[in-house]
Amino acid sequence: MKLYSYFRSSAAYRVRIGLNLKGLAAEIIPVHLRHNEQHAPDYAALNPQHLVPLLEDGPHRLIQSLAILEYLEETRPEPAILPPDPAGRARVRALAQVIACEIHPLDNLRVLRYLVRDLKVTNEAKDQWYRHWIVEGFDALEKLLAGAPETGRFCHGDMPGLADICLVPQVNNARLAGMDIAPWPTIQRIAAACAEIPAFAAAHPSKQPDAE
Ligand SMILES: N[C@@H](CCC(=O)N[C@@H](CS)C(=O)NCC(=O)O)C(=O)O
């Protein structure tokens, strides 16, 4: 397998964690987003969205981190990253989507660039925007996690899964933005529990071949 990745990309970070949890090896092909390599013709031909991650698995070329993770779950079911029951799977997917569909897209590099370059928003206002969507998303996520009997050591029970895979990179982004996670104690606790797992630790941006 080949994973087109950027060390700081949280969507690629999700797939790196998923591969590690399932014990799967993938060659990392770095795509430097700050140097605009996602827009290079060779890469754009692979992914017309000009985004990472992209996973090649034999003849299959897969994009969108959640779709990739579901593909890995279906093709390599053990260890599972989704619970066995439909209601549990719906809960885990919902938690994952709170992050991957409601926080992350608003804070993506191309959105931030558009705010500054096209809409002439100041850097201060751009940073305020960035933090705003994390605060709003984490406030909801904290309530969803803290108030639920299904929450265990991890987002759903005592085994890490899809929701944790999405949570950890988003917490990392928040910390990189100088945010304190303490106001969300359940999120903080779960992120700390994940950090102890080698599959999560090895996927961290600082451990990537293209890390700077
Ligand atoms: N929904 C997509 C999001 C992918 C995405 O936004 N990737 C970012 C890095 S985290 C990217 O490639 N950004 C390039 C850009 O904004 O120009 C997924 O989950 O894979």
Side-chain angles (χ1 to χ4, degrees):
M1 278 192 280
K2 283 185 187 171
L3 178 66
Y4 292 77
S5 173
Y6 176 57
F7 74 110
R8 273 209 198 97
S9 156
S10 49
Y13 190 176
R14 290 175 203 145
V15 176
R16 297 196 301 260
I17 299 168
L19 288 166
N20 291 347
L21 281 172
K22 287 184 175 290
L24 300 169
E27 180 190 354
I28 299 284
I29 313 285
V31 179
H32 201 302
L33 300 186
R34 298 262 166 205
H35 294 171
N36 292 316
E37 288 179 3
Q38 70 275 36
H39 303 302
D42 284 0
Y43 187 73
L46 296 177
N47 183 359
Q49 271 206 301
H50 300 210
L51 299 171
V52 294
L54 183 152
L55 185 76
E56 284 181 352
D57 182 23
H60 306 300
R61 188 178 293 152
L62 306 154
I63 61 165
Q64 287 290 339
S65 61
L66 293 183
I68 295 170
L69 289 158
E70 295 265 0
Y71 167 84
L72 292 176
E73 180 75 345
E74 288 174 18
T75 55
R76 285 89 166 175
E78 297 297 332
I81 57 171
L82 286 169
D85 57 307
R89 284 201 294 278
R91 176 175 183 264
V92 168
R93 287 180 175 127
L95 295 172
Q97 288 173 28
V98 167
I99 297 163
C101 304
E102 312 293 347
I103 302 176
H104 176 263
L106 293 160
D107 282 352
N108 199 1
L109 179 63
R110 61 185 173 155
V111 172
L112 303 179
R113 279 179 169 168
Y114 184 72
L115 287 173
V116 173
R117 288 182 189 170
D118 296 81
L119 302 184
K120 308 298 176 203
V121 162
T122 63
N123 273 322
E124 268 175 13
K126 183 254 295 173
D127 292 345
Q128 188 181 335
W129 165 283
Y130 188 93
R131 288 191 296 267
H132 172 81
W133 298 113
I134 295 177
V135 169
E136 192 166 281
F138 277 8
D139 281 350
L141 201 59
E142 178 65 27
K143 289 192 183 91
L144 288 164
L145 290 168
E150 297 93 337
T151 303
R153 180 164 165 75
F154 300 102
C155 288
H156 195 83
D158 294 326
M159 294 295 285
L162 186 67
D164 308 286
I165 287 172
C166 292
L167 180 67
V168 165
Q170 191 59 59
V171 166
N172 189 61
N173 280 353
R175 289 194 170 124
L176 280 174
M179 294 172 70
D180 179 10
I181 306 301
W184 304 287
T186 316
I187 290 175
Q188 186 178 39
R189 174 182 68 70
I190 292 171
C194 290
E196 290 176 13
I197 298 176
F200 282 82
H204 190 272
S206 65
K207 298 289 192 306
Q208 300 315 299
D210 55 335
E212 291 169 3

